[in-house]
Amino acid sequence: MPASLVRESEVDVLVIGAGPAGLMCANGLAKAGVNVRIIDQRPSKVAAGQADGIQPRTIEVLQSYGLAERLLREGNQMHMAAFYNPSPKGGIMRTGRAPDITAPTARYPFEVTLHQGAIEAIFLDSLSSMGVSVERPIIPTAVELDQNPIVLKDPQSHPIKIVLQHLDASEGQSETEIVYAKYLVGADGAHSWVRKSFGISMDGEQTDYIWGVVDMVPSTDMPDIRNKCAIHSDNGSCMVIPREGDKIRLYIQLTDADVLDPHTRRVDKARVTPQRLLDVAKKSFRPFRIETDGEIDWWTLYIIGQRVASKFSVHERVFIAGDACHTHSPKAGQGMNASMNDAHNLIWKLTHVLRGWADMSLLKTYEFERRKYAQDLIAFDKSFSALFSGKPRTDDNQEGVSHEEFVEAFQTFGAFTSGIGIHYAPSLVVNTTHQSAARNLVIGQRMLPHVFVRAADARPVELHDLLPADARFKLLVFTGAPSAAQLARVHSLAEDMARPEGALRVHAHAMDVLAISAGTKDDVDYTDIPEVFRSHWSKVLVDDSDMFGRTGGGGYEAYGIDARGALVVVRPDGYVAMVAPFEHHRDIDRYFESFMRAL
Amino acid sequence: MPASLVRESEVDVLVIGAGPAGLMCANGLAKAGVNVRIIDQRPSKVAAGQADGIQPRTIEVLQSYGLAERLLREGNQMHMAAFYNPSPKGGIMRTGRAPDITAPTARYPFEVTLHQGAIEAIFLDSLSSMGVSVERPIIPTAVELDQNPIVLKDPQSHPIKIVLQHLDASEGQSETEIVYAKYLVGADGAHSWVRKSFGISMDGEQTDYIWGVVDMVPSTDMPDIRNKCAIHSDNGSCMVIPREGDKIRLYIQLTDADVLDPHTRRVDKARVTPQRLLDVAKKSFRPFRIETDGEIDWWTLYIIGQRVASKFSVHERVFIAGDACHTHSPKAGQGMNASMNDAHNLIWKLTHVLRGWADMSLLKTYEFERRKYAQDLIAFDKSFSALFSGKPRTDDNQEGVSHEEFVEAFQTFGAFTSGIGIHYAPSLVVNTTHQSAARNLVIGQRMLPHVFVRAADARPVELHDLLPADARFKLLVFTGAPSAAQLARVHSLAEDMARPEGALRVHAHAMDVLAISAGTKDDVDYTDIPEVFRSHWSKVLVDDSDMFGRTGGGGYEAYGIDARGALVVVRPDGYVAMVAPFEHHRDIDRYFESFMRAL
C-alpha cells in the first residue's frame, strides 16, 4: 500500500451521514447557498426497506423546500386506519375505521409511504441540481474542537479539525484528508461516531418488545390491506402499512421464543427467516388469508428502545441530528420524520449565523427546541408501544387493551403521529406576548395552512406556498377590513414601519412581506395596499373564495384575527415566531433586535 | 450542387407541421405506440408570442396525456375578467368583474396563458422521451393518393406517396426522400400545403376588423392588469391578457388609418411600429397609465377572418387539422385550442384502426365531429368579434354595445370560450338511446370531472385521472346502493357481462373497467365488488368525501344516476359515448359491435 497523501481543506459546514437527517441538512444548506459538504461511509445509497411513513407535517416541510411534488407522485397515501380485534367467533374482526391522522389542520391530511431509497433519491437529485454530491465512502477517524473562547466566539472561525479517510474499495487504498470546518453536523445514525467522539451519553433504555418487519406484495382477502391496520389478536399483534405500488409492510409482534437464543437470552437473527415471520402474521390474520405470490423484498427485526442524547450540541459548533440523538420505535413512524425535522430546525439557524444575519446565540435554540421535542416523543412512544404490544381485551382477559382504549390513544396522540403538534416553547425566537392578536395562530407551532385569493388576479393560493424555506422571515400584514377607517390605520402603520431604523428596513434582506386583506376579490384592488407592504402584485391576498367558491375564504376566522388586523411573524422554518396588534408593531423591532444583526 | 439522392421509406402516419395540432397529434400517436413521423419546414422551433390562452377543456385534455402538470407550473392563470367602459368623467372606469370562464363543471376553472414556444416545448420534450423528434427543415413537394378502392379498403396499405425535400440550410443542399404512408395528417397551418394539394376549399371570408398585438412587461396603475380586461373606450377597444411572469398581451383595435395603405387599401405592416400600437392603447387606457419599462417582446397585426375547410379528410387517408381547416379571431383564444382538440379527436381513431381494433368507418367521424364544431366556433366568433369590435354605448351613441350586452354575450358563450361545451352529435360512436340512465352525463359531451374516494384506501381521486388518453374505452360500472338487493343485481350483471361473447371479454384489450359504488368509505369494502369489475384494488371507488370532508361526495347526484346504478361508456378521448341501465347492458355489446372488430 502506498503512503497516504494528506490533503487539507476548509468548509463552512461538514455533514457526516447521508441518511434522511444528513441529506435534509445538506440540501437545505446548499439551497441557502452555504458552503457545505456531506460524506457517508457507505459506498452506495440504500435501496429498499428501512424507514417508511412521511407524516403530514414532514410533507409540509418538504413542500417548503420544493420537494413534496415528487414525493406525492411516487409515494402511497394512507388516509384511513382500520382496527381489528379478537372476534367472538375466533380469529379477528374489524371493530372500526378512522382517519389515519387526526390533525384536522394538516395541509396534506394523510401519511405518505415510500421506501427510504426513493426518499433519499429526491434529496440526492436536488443536491445534484445544485452541484453537491454525497462523497463516499469516507470515514471520519478523528475530530478536535478548539475550545479557545475567542475562536469559538467568532462565527466565521474554523475551530473543528476532522480527519477523513477516503476509501476506495476497489483499490483497497485510502487517502487522508484534514478538514477544518466552521460547523459540524453529526447525522451519522444510532451508533453516531460524532456523538461518541464528544462523549455525549444516551439516556433511556430498551424495552422487551421485539418486532419483525416484512415488505412484500400480498395476496389476501383482507379488505383493509390498503389501510393502516392495527391488528390485535389472541395470537399477537400485527400492523399493516400499505406502501407504494401494491406493496405492504407488516410489523409483526414476536415472542421471546421466536427470536431469543435460549441460552444467552439475546436476539439471534439466525433463528428467524422471513417465511417464519410471515407464518406468525398468518396466525394473527385469521380468518383472513395473507400470503405473497412473490418474494419478500426486505425484512428485519427491531427491539424497541427509547433513548435521547443528553445534549444535541457542543459549544454550538458540533451538532447531532436524527437517530444520532434519539431512537424510538419504528411503528409509530417517527424516526425519519423527527430526523428531517431536526435538520429543518437547524438549517436556517446555521444559515443566518453564517450570513452574519444573526448572533451565534440563535444556535442555542436548536438543542432547546429539538431535545424537548425528542423527550416528548419518547414519552409518547413508550406509552403507545406498550398499548400496541399489550394483549387485547377479551372475555378471558379483562386486563387487556380494549378497542376503545386503543382508538382513544391513537387519536389523542394524533398531533404527534402527524407531526403537526410540534410546539416550541418561548425563547429568543418564540415570543408569546401578544398571542391574543391572532388567537388561533399558536405561537411556537407551525403556521396554519389556508387558501387565500390573490387580489390582483383572483387566483387561489395556499399560504404555505408563499412561505418557502428560503431562510427569510415572513412578515404577514393582516390589513383587516377594507373600510376607509381601517385603510387609514394601515397607511399610518406602513408609514411608521417604513422608517429607516425599523426592522422592515434594517432586516429587509432577511424578510419577505405579504399583505392579507379581510375584503373580497370584488372590492379590493392590490393597488389599495401601501407599497411597503407589497413588493410584488402577487403578494397581496384577500380572505375570499375563488371565482367558483370551491376553495378559500374564512381565513381571518380560522386564524382568530379580527377586522382591526394583526401582524404575524413566521420563522424561516414555518413556525409562528410572534404576533402583534398594529399598535404594538415596535415589539417586532425588538424581537429582531434581540438576536439579529444589522448588516 | 451535387445530384440529389433519393431515399425511400414507409411510415404508418406522417404528420406535416409541428405547431400545436401537429405536435399534439404526433405525441398522442407516439404515446399509443403508433409508428409516426413529424416534419416541419421551419429550421427551428418558435420562440415567443403567437397563440396564447389554453382553455379549461384543453387543460383537461393535456392532463389526460400527462402533460398538464408542467403547463400549470409554467403558465399564468386567468381566473377573473374585468370590464371597462366609458366613464361619465371621461376616459374609462371599471363597470364590473366576473369569472373569466363560465363553465362551472370545468376541472380547471381558469385559462392558462403561456407563450407558444413553451407550450410546444412540453410536447417536444414528451416526444423526445419516446424517441421521436421533429425532423426539420423538410418541405413536402408532391403528394399522390392511390384511389384504387381495394387499396383504400385495406387499413394497413400505404396508398399515400409523398416527396420530401430535406433542406440543409447551412450547406444549401437538399436530399429527396419518398415516403409511403398509410395515413397523412396535414397540420401545416392556415396556408396548408396539404389542403391545397388536395384542392380543399376554405369557406368564409375576412372581416374589416384589424387588431394589433403587443407582448410586454407593463408599468401601470391599472388595478386589473393581471385580469383579462375587456376595455371599451371612446378611443377604441382593447383587451388585456395577463401572461406568464409579469408579462401581459394587449390586443388593440386599429382603424383603417392606422394600418391601411391609403392607395391600395391593403394592410401595410410597415406603417405600424410597436410603439405606435402602444400609443393607441394608451388612449383607450385613460385615465390609467400604461407603459413598458423594457422592450416590446413581440408584436403583430391580425385581420380577423372566419373560414372553415369544405372537408377535413380525403378518403379517410389524408386528414387536415388545426389552422389548416379553420381560421378565426385570435382574441377569443380559440385557435390553438381548436387545433389541439382536432388532433385529440383523431389520435384514438387512427390508433384503433392501425391496431386492427376498429373498422375504418370510425375515421369518418373525425370530419363529422370536428367540422361541425369548427362551424359552430366560427359562428360564435363572428358575433363575438362584432360585439367586441363595436363602439361602446354612451350618451352620445345609444346604438353602441352596452356593458350588460357584452357581459351577457361573454357568459352565454362561456361554454365555447372554455371549450367545455363541445358536444358531438349522435353517430357510430355517440349513442344517445339511454340518456335517462345518467341524466346529467350528456352523451356526446366530455365526461364530467368529479372527486370520488377509493374504497380500498379512502384516497380521494379525480375521476378524470382514471380516464387517461390511453386509446382504451372506459366502462364505468355505477354499482348503485350498497344494499343486499342491489348487490345481487350487480353480481347477476357481472355474470352476464362476463360471458365469452360479451364486449367486456371480446374487447377486453380495448377497455378499462372501473366500479363506483353509491355507498360510503365506511360501509363498502373493495372486495364486495365482483372481480370482473375490479381489475385492481385501486379501481373501485365510492361516492363519498375524503376523511376530513374536504373533497368528494355527491357524484351520483351530479351525474344524475340513481341508486339502481348505471353503465357509462367513455370514449378514449374522454367524451361520453353511451349510457345504459343494467337491464339494457347488451346494447353496449351492440355499440361496440357496430364499429369494433374482434381480434
Side-chain angles (χ1 to χ4, degrees), chain B residues 394-406:
Chain B
T394 57
D395 288 345
D396 301 337
N397 176 18
Q398 288 294 328
E399 299 300 298
V401 181
S402 75
H403 169 63
E404 290 70 27
E405 229 175 315
F406 186 75

Side-chain angles (χ1 to χ4, degrees), chain B residues 146-157 159 183 315 317 353 359-361 597:
Chain B
D146 187 340
Q147 309 268 347
N148 181 336
I150 297 168
V151 174
L152 286 178
K153 263 177 70 177
D154 172 7
Q156 304 297 341
S157 68
Y183 301 91
H315 293 303
R317 289 295 189 160
V353 169
D359 289 330
M360 287 190 71
S361 59
R597 298 171 162 199

Side-chain angles (χ1 to χ4, degrees), chain A residues 190-246:
Chain A
H191 305 287
S192 171
W193 174 87
V194 173
R195 186 186 70 220
K196 289 172 187 164
S197 299
F198 288 93
I200 301 171
S201 63
M202 289 295 276
D203 304 339
E205 57 200 38
Q206 283 192 356
T207 67
D208 294 331
Y209 309 124
I210 305 169
W211 290 73
V213 187
V214 167
D215 279 6
M216 64 182 201
V217 175
S219 167
T220 183
D221 55 357
M222 203 264 209
D224 286 287
I225 199 71
R226 298 304 307 174
N227 293 319
K228 182 194 272 182
C229 298
I231 299 173
H232 285 95
S233 88
D234 292 328
N235 298 309
S237 293
C238 187
M239 183 171 260
V240 179
I241 304 284
R243 303 179 54 118
E244 66 274 16
D246 290 340

Side-chain angles (χ1 to χ4, degrees), chain A residues 69 73 77 79 94 97 99 101 104 106 226-227 246 456-457 459 521 524-525 536-537 547-548 550, chain B residues 69 73 77 79 94 97 99 101 104 106 226-227 246 456-457 459 521 524-525 536-537 547-548 550:
Chain A
E69 215 174 86
R73 197 165 51 233
Q77 297 179 9
H79 291 260
R94 184 170 64 216
R97 281 173 168 171
I101 66 145
R226 298 304 307 174
N227 293 319
D246 290 340
D457 64 0
R459 176 173 176 167
K521 55 189 173 297
V524 174
D525 288 334
H536 191 258
W537 58 261
M547 300 307 295
F548 292 89
R550 294 188 189 175
Chain B
E69 215 174 84
R73 197 165 51 235
Q77 297 180 9
H79 290 260
R94 184 168 66 216
R97 281 172 169 172
I101 66 145
R226 298 305 306 173
N227 293 319
D246 290 339
D457 64 358
R459 175 174 175 166
K521 56 190 174 296
V524 174
D525 286 335
H536 191 257
W537 58 261
M547 300 307 296
F548 292 90
R550 294 188 189 175

Side-chain angles (χ1 to χ4, degrees), chain B residues 105-120:
Chain B
T105 72
R107 176 176 184 184
Y108 308 97
F110 47 82
E111 288 181 82
V112 167
T113 50
L114 186 61
H115 71 86
Q116 190 166 330
I119 293 165
E120 292 182 4

